[in-house]
Amino acid sequence: MTESSIQSKKAAVAARASRLRSNLVRSYEATDQLCVVLDAFDKRTEELEQLMLPIQARVHTLSRGQERLSAAIHHCADMLHHVDLSRQLETKILEGPRGDFGAYLAHVSKLDNAVTQMAAFPSPMAASARKHAADLQAKARALCEESFRDLLSRSARAPDQ
């Protein structure tokens, strides 16, 4: 190996080392810049989390309120169904059995079921509907008793009379 080839190899190694140092410096700079970006992103993420906590709590509260409202609406719909049923049966019950005791007793049974179901609704607003249905139920029983007494008195009479 000659001295000129050694010098050229040294120069090549020096140039390569210089490029490596330059690349290493750029790599450190890029790493530092990336760390700065990641720190800023982390701070923004933490701020966002802090802002989201009250919103999440509010959303949770609103969701529970929505569930309660849905349950109340369902409850009210059930109550209204039973009130409506008692109102529909009212005219049929107030007319009395008129000889068809099976149909009349079926109507009374439906009314009994409606009254039982309405008793499950403790709302003060439903109290008047419950009272009306209970009064109708008492009238139905009285009409049944009267009709049965009438039938008994007719069948108890001697056929000779």
Side-chain angles (χ1 to χ4, degrees), residues 54-84:
I55 295 170
Q56 287 173 337
R58 182 75 175 143
V59 166
H60 182 68
T61 301
L62 290 174
S63 295
R64 283 190 318 207
Q66 170 69 32
E67 290 168 4
R68 288 180 185 146
L69 283 174
S70 295
I73 288 170
H74 179 71
H75 218 55
C76 288
D78 285 347
M79 178 64 183
L80 286 175
H81 169 72
H82 295 299
V83 169
D84 188 42

Short mmCIF file of all heavy atoms in Angstrom, two decimals, residues 54-84:
data_model
loop_
_atom_site.label_atom_id
_atom_site.label_comp_id
_atom_site.label_asym_id
_atom_site.label_seq_id
_atom_site.Cartn_x
_atom_site.Cartn_y
_atom_site.Cartn_z
N PRO A 54 -66.20 16.28 33.50
CA PRO A 54 -67.54 16.78 33.83
C PRO A 54 -68.57 16.42 32.76
O PRO A 54 -69.73 16.16 33.06
CB PRO A 54 -67.37 18.30 33.93
CG PRO A 54 -65.93 18.58 33.81
CD PRO A 54 -65.23 17.35 33.39
N ILE A 55 -68.13 16.39 31.51
CA ILE A 55 -69.05 16.04 30.42
C ILE A 55 -69.49 14.60 30.56
O ILE A 55 -70.69 14.28 30.42
CB ILE A 55 -68.39 16.31 29.05
CG1 ILE A 55 -68.15 17.81 28.88
CG2 ILE A 55 -69.24 15.77 27.92
CD1 ILE A 55 -67.30 18.17 27.69
N GLN A 56 -68.55 13.71 30.87
CA GLN A 56 -68.89 12.30 31.05
C GLN A 56 -69.85 12.13 32.22
O GLN A 56 -70.80 11.34 32.15
CB GLN A 56 -67.63 11.47 31.28
CG GLN A 56 -66.80 11.28 30.04
CD GLN A 56 -65.48 10.60 30.33
OE1 GLN A 56 -64.98 10.63 31.45
NE2 GLN A 56 -64.91 9.99 29.30
N ALA A 57 -69.61 12.85 33.31
CA ALA A 57 -70.49 12.76 34.47
C ALA A 57 -71.89 13.24 34.10
O ALA A 57 -72.90 12.62 34.48
CB ALA A 57 -69.93 13.57 35.63
N ARG A 58 -71.97 14.31 33.36
CA ARG A 58 -73.27 14.86 32.94
C ARG A 58 -74.00 13.90 32.00
O ARG A 58 -75.21 13.68 32.13
CB ARG A 58 -73.04 16.21 32.25
CG ARG A 58 -74.29 16.90 31.82
CD ARG A 58 -75.02 17.51 32.99
NE ARG A 58 -76.15 18.25 32.50
CZ ARG A 58 -77.30 18.32 33.10
NH1 ARG A 58 -77.47 17.72 34.25
NH2 ARG A 58 -78.29 18.99 32.58
N VAL A 59 -73.26 13.31 31.07
CA VAL A 59 -73.86 12.35 30.14
C VAL A 59 -74.40 11.14 30.92
O VAL A 59 -75.49 10.65 30.64
CB VAL A 59 -72.85 11.92 29.06
CG1 VAL A 59 -73.31 10.69 28.31
CG2 VAL A 59 -72.60 13.06 28.09
N HIS A 60 -73.63 10.69 31.89
CA HIS A 60 -74.07 9.56 32.71
C HIS A 60 -75.36 9.92 33.46
O HIS A 60 -76.31 9.13 33.51
CB HIS A 60 -72.96 9.15 33.67
CG HIS A 60 -73.30 7.97 34.51
ND1 HIS A 60 -73.44 6.71 33.99
CD2 HIS A 60 -73.54 7.87 35.83
CE1 HIS A 60 -73.76 5.87 34.96
NE2 HIS A 60 -73.82 6.56 36.09
N THR A 61 -75.39 11.11 34.02
CA THR A 61 -76.58 11.56 34.75
C THR A 61 -77.77 11.67 33.81
O THR A 61 -78.88 11.24 34.14
CB THR A 61 -76.30 12.94 35.40
OG1 THR A 61 -75.20 12.80 36.29
CG2 THR A 61 -77.50 13.44 36.16
N LEU A 62 -77.55 12.22 32.63
CA LEU A 62 -78.64 12.34 31.66
C LEU A 62 -79.12 10.97 31.17
O LEU A 62 -80.32 10.77 30.97
CB LEU A 62 -78.19 13.18 30.46
CG LEU A 62 -77.99 14.68 30.75
CD1 LEU A 62 -77.40 15.37 29.54
CD2 LEU A 62 -79.29 15.33 31.15
N SER A 63 -78.21 10.04 31.03
CA SER A 63 -78.61 8.68 30.61
C SER A 63 -79.48 8.02 31.67
O SER A 63 -80.49 7.39 31.34
CB SER A 63 -77.37 7.82 30.37
OG SER A 63 -76.64 8.31 29.29
N ARG A 64 -79.09 8.17 32.92
CA ARG A 64 -79.92 7.61 34.01
C ARG A 64 -81.28 8.30 34.04
O ARG A 64 -82.30 7.65 34.25
CB ARG A 64 -79.22 7.77 35.36
CG ARG A 64 -78.13 6.76 35.56
CD ARG A 64 -77.63 6.80 36.98
NE ARG A 64 -77.52 8.19 37.40
CZ ARG A 64 -76.69 8.65 38.30
NH1 ARG A 64 -75.89 7.84 38.92
NH2 ARG A 64 -76.65 9.93 38.61
N GLY A 65 -81.30 9.60 33.84
CA GLY A 65 -82.57 10.33 33.79
C GLY A 65 -83.43 9.84 32.64
O GLY A 65 -84.65 9.67 32.79
N GLN A 66 -82.83 9.61 31.48
CA GLN A 66 -83.55 9.09 30.32
C GLN A 66 -84.15 7.73 30.63
O GLN A 66 -85.30 7.45 30.29
CB GLN A 66 -82.61 9.00 29.12
CG GLN A 66 -83.18 8.26 27.93
CD GLN A 66 -84.30 9.01 27.26
OE1 GLN A 66 -84.30 10.22 27.24
NE2 GLN A 66 -85.25 8.28 26.72
N GLU A 67 -83.38 6.87 31.29
CA GLU A 67 -83.89 5.54 31.65
C GLU A 67 -85.08 5.67 32.61
O GLU A 67 -86.07 4.95 32.47
CB GLU A 67 -82.78 4.71 32.29
CG GLU A 67 -81.71 4.29 31.32
CD GLU A 67 -80.48 3.72 32.00
OE1 GLU A 67 -80.46 3.58 33.24
OE2 GLU A 67 -79.52 3.40 31.27
N ARG A 68 -84.95 6.57 33.57
CA ARG A 68 -86.06 6.76 34.53
C ARG A 68 -87.30 7.30 33.83
O ARG A 68 -88.42 6.89 34.13
CB ARG A 68 -85.61 7.70 35.65
CG ARG A 68 -84.64 7.07 36.58
CD ARG A 68 -84.23 8.04 37.68
NE ARG A 68 -83.20 7.46 38.50
CZ ARG A 68 -82.23 8.15 39.07
NH1 ARG A 68 -82.17 9.45 38.88
NH2 ARG A 68 -81.33 7.55 39.80
N LEU A 69 -87.10 8.25 32.91
CA LEU A 69 -88.24 8.78 32.17
C LEU A 69 -88.90 7.71 31.32
O LEU A 69 -90.13 7.63 31.25
CB LEU A 69 -87.80 9.95 31.29
CG LEU A 69 -87.56 11.27 32.00
CD1 LEU A 69 -87.00 12.29 31.02
CD2 LEU A 69 -88.83 11.80 32.61
N SER A 70 -88.11 6.89 30.69
CA SER A 70 -88.66 5.80 29.88
C SER A 70 -89.47 4.84 30.74
O SER A 70 -90.56 4.41 30.35
CB SER A 70 -87.54 5.04 29.16
OG SER A 70 -86.92 5.86 28.23
N ALA A 71 -88.95 4.54 31.92
CA ALA A 71 -89.68 3.65 32.83
C ALA A 71 -90.98 4.31 33.30
O ALA A 71 -92.03 3.65 33.38
CB ALA A 71 -88.81 3.30 34.03
N ALA A 72 -90.92 5.61 33.59
CA ALA A 72 -92.13 6.32 34.02
C ALA A 72 -93.17 6.37 32.90
O ALA A 72 -94.37 6.19 33.14
CB ALA A 72 -91.78 7.74 34.47
N ILE A 73 -92.71 6.59 31.68
CA ILE A 73 -93.64 6.61 30.54
C ILE A 73 -94.29 5.25 30.37
O ILE A 73 -95.50 5.14 30.15
CB ILE A 73 -92.91 7.06 29.26
CG1 ILE A 73 -92.61 8.56 29.35
CG2 ILE A 73 -93.72 6.76 28.02
CD1 ILE A 73 -91.69 9.06 28.26
N HIS A 74 -93.50 4.20 30.48
CA HIS A 74 -94.03 2.84 30.36
C HIS A 74 -95.04 2.58 31.48
O HIS A 74 -96.11 2.01 31.25
CB HIS A 74 -92.89 1.83 30.41
CG HIS A 74 -93.34 0.41 30.32
ND1 HIS A 74 -93.83 -0.12 29.16
CD2 HIS A 74 -93.38 -0.57 31.25
CE1 HIS A 74 -94.16 -1.38 29.37
NE2 HIS A 74 -93.89 -1.68 30.64
N HIS A 75 -94.69 3.01 32.68
CA HIS A 75 -95.57 2.86 33.84
C HIS A 75 -96.90 3.59 33.60
O HIS A 75 -97.98 3.04 33.86
CB HIS A 75 -94.85 3.44 35.06
CG HIS A 75 -95.04 2.70 36.32
ND1 HIS A 75 -94.77 1.37 36.46
CD2 HIS A 75 -95.48 3.12 37.53
CE1 HIS A 75 -95.02 1.00 37.69
NE2 HIS A 75 -95.46 2.04 38.36
N CYS A 76 -96.81 4.82 33.12
CA CYS A 76 -98.01 5.62 32.86
C CYS A 76 -98.85 5.00 31.74
O CYS A 76 -100.09 5.00 31.82
CB CYS A 76 -97.64 7.05 32.49
SG CYS A 76 -97.03 8.00 33.88
N ALA A 77 -98.21 4.47 30.73
CA ALA A 77 -98.95 3.83 29.64
C ALA A 77 -99.72 2.61 30.16
O ALA A 77 -100.87 2.39 29.78
CB ALA A 77 -98.00 3.42 28.52
N ASP A 78 -99.08 1.85 31.05
CA ASP A 78 -99.78 0.71 31.66
C ASP A 78 -100.98 1.19 32.47
O ASP A 78 -102.08 0.63 32.37
CB ASP A 78 -98.84 -0.08 32.58
CG ASP A 78 -97.86 -0.93 31.82
OD1 ASP A 78 -98.05 -1.12 30.60
OD2 ASP A 78 -96.90 -1.42 32.45
N MET A 79 -100.78 2.23 33.25
CA MET A 79 -101.87 2.77 34.07
C MET A 79 -103.00 3.26 33.18
O MET A 79 -104.17 2.97 33.43
CB MET A 79 -101.33 3.90 34.95
CG MET A 79 -102.38 4.56 35.81
SD MET A 79 -103.06 3.43 37.01
CE MET A 79 -104.29 4.44 37.76
N LEU A 80 -102.67 3.99 32.13
CA LEU A 80 -103.70 4.51 31.23
C LEU A 80 -104.45 3.38 30.53
O LEU A 80 -105.65 3.48 30.30
CB LEU A 80 -103.08 5.45 30.19
CG LEU A 80 -102.67 6.82 30.73
CD1 LEU A 80 -101.96 7.60 29.65
CD2 LEU A 80 -103.85 7.58 31.25
N HIS A 81 -103.75 2.31 30.21
CA HIS A 81 -104.41 1.16 29.60
C HIS A 81 -105.48 0.60 30.55
O HIS A 81 -106.61 0.32 30.13
CB HIS A 81 -103.38 0.07 29.27
CG HIS A 81 -103.99 -1.23 28.89
ND1 HIS A 81 -104.63 -1.42 27.68
CD2 HIS A 81 -104.08 -2.41 29.56
CE1 HIS A 81 -105.08 -2.66 27.63
NE2 HIS A 81 -104.76 -3.28 28.76
N HIS A 82 -105.13 0.46 31.81
CA HIS A 82 -106.08 -0.10 32.79
C HIS A 82 -107.23 0.89 33.06
O HIS A 82 -108.38 0.46 33.23
CB HIS A 82 -105.37 -0.49 34.07
CG HIS A 82 -104.40 -1.60 33.87
ND1 HIS A 82 -104.75 -2.84 33.42
CD2 HIS A 82 -103.06 -1.65 34.02
CE1 HIS A 82 -103.70 -3.61 33.32
NE2 HIS A 82 -102.64 -2.89 33.67
N VAL A 83 -106.93 2.17 33.10
CA VAL A 83 -107.99 3.17 33.28
C VAL A 83 -108.93 3.14 32.08
O VAL A 83 -110.16 3.16 32.23
CB VAL A 83 -107.38 4.59 33.48
CG1 VAL A 83 -108.44 5.65 33.39
CG2 VAL A 83 -106.65 4.66 34.80
N ASP A 84 -108.36 3.09 30.89
CA ASP A 84 -109.16 3.03 29.67
C ASP A 84 -110.03 1.78 29.65
O ASP A 84 -111.21 1.84 29.28
CB ASP A 84 -108.24 3.07 28.45
CG ASP A 84 -109.01 3.21 27.15
OD1 ASP A 84 -109.98 4.00 27.12
OD2 ASP A 84 -108.63 2.54 26.17
#
